[in-house]
Amino acid sequence: ELCRSSSIPFTRVPREALSKYVDAGANHQGVIAFVASSNYVSTDDILGEGKDDPLILILDGVEDPRNLGAILRVADCAGIDGVIIPERRAVGLTETVAKSSAGAIEYVKVAKTPNLNRLIENLKRQNIWVVGTSIDAAMDYADWDWKRPTALVLGGEGGGLHRLVADNCDVLVKIPMYGKIDSLNVSVAAGVILFEARRQR
């Protein structure tokens, strides 16, 4: 009925016929939809919302599609304005990202930028604070005033922020670690920090 009311064509087929459209062992639950890949927006679409206190997320080289999907899920749940990723040396909006996002890919604005450092300089000119993350930072993430217009920058798996990106940030913050391992998965770090920002706001 939803397909009919939205003018979406549909076809009923034997359940076995669906297996040729999915990876072996995939749990399609008897339904398959063919959809257009998610479209990117421009950075202006994310920054041009007219908000006095934007909160955006910049990813510096996240390469694992499952991590990006989980980050998009966090971004939607935390209600941020959008996510910006680099054009090169990073994963884009793939099928795996879509699945890992649990539907969030349909709601979160994602933009690509050819140059993160130029983007950071542009954000500063717009009076948006750029906050990077580093295990060596002096400030705990909860001590930053997240009520300010802020762009949070998270590094890729393993290497963290690139040196020049870290140098261009206004401030670096850390999530204190209390166990034997010195860092969190990037999607978990996104959740910890973005929900602290939401709590403060």
Side-chain angles (χ1 to χ4, degrees), residues 74-94:
V74 167
D76 177 63
C77 291
I80 72 167
D81 296 299
V83 177
I84 302 175
I85 61 177
E87 284 184 357
R88 295 179 299 280
R89 297 186 301 278
V91 68
L93 298 180
T94 66

Side-chain angles (χ1 to χ4, degrees), residues 144-167:
W144 176 253
D145 180 4
W146 294 100
K147 295 186 292 296
R148 304 178 190 183
T150 304
L152 169 65
V153 189
L154 295 175
E157 303 89 352
L161 295 180
H162 288 95
R163 185 188 57 77
L164 190 54
V165 171
D167 290 346

Side-chain angles (χ1 to χ4, degrees), residues 87-111:
E87 284 184 357
R88 295 179 299 280
R89 297 186 301 278
V91 68
L93 298 180
T94 66
E95 178 184 351
T96 303
V97 172
K99 188 170 184 179
S100 300
S101 78
I105 197 170
E106 300 293 333
Y107 305 107
V108 178
K109 292 180 180 177
V110 180

